[in-house]
Amino acid sequence: MLTYSIKADNCNAPKITYEVKGLPEKSALFLANHLVEAFRCVEVVCEQTGELVYNVYYNEDFRKPTLDELTCLSIAQSIFKD
């Protein structure tokens, strides 16, 4: 079974990043789609092949985040805790 790592970066000051490894495909996609609500750069990489399978970056002038980073991470942690 393939596993995926996710990196998220708010691309602002103060710099806030988030990383998680070892997720199955559906969990990685779900989390990536959630993280783009607060983080301007989100990448998902297959840990076995090294392939970049998901990449989102947006300029804050083009699209504004809909959540703050703390709220976004709190929701993500509570989802994956269960």
Side-chain angles (χ1 to χ4, degrees):
M1 179 170 86
L2 297 176
T3 57
Y4 298 84
S5 63
I6 297 179
K7 292 181 183 177
D9 187 335
N10 70 340
C11 301
N12 280 321
K15 185 176 188 80
I16 300 172
T17 59
Y18 178 74
E19 184 174 358
V20 63
K21 296 180 180 184
L23 292 176
E25 181 179 5
K26 288 184 181 186
S27 296
L29 181 57
F30 179 82
L31 181 57
N33 284 322
H34 173 69
L35 290 172
V36 297
E37 298 303 320
F39 292 86
R40 291 174 44 200
C41 182
V42 177
E43 295 181 342
V44 180
V45 174
C46 177
E47 294 177 332
Q48 286 68 40
T49 65
E51 179 185 8
L52 177 65
V53 296
Y54 181 101
N55 183 33
V56 172
Y57 172 82
Y58 57 89
N59 180 297
E60 209 169 74
D61 293 332
F62 183 76
R63 177 182 186 264
K64 298 289 185 195
T66 57
L67 290 174
D68 64 82
E69 297 91 348
L70 182 59
T71 302
C72 180
L73 293 178
S74 177
I75 291 169
Q77 289 300 107
S78 66
I79 290 169
F80 286 104
K81 182 175 70 172
D82 295 335

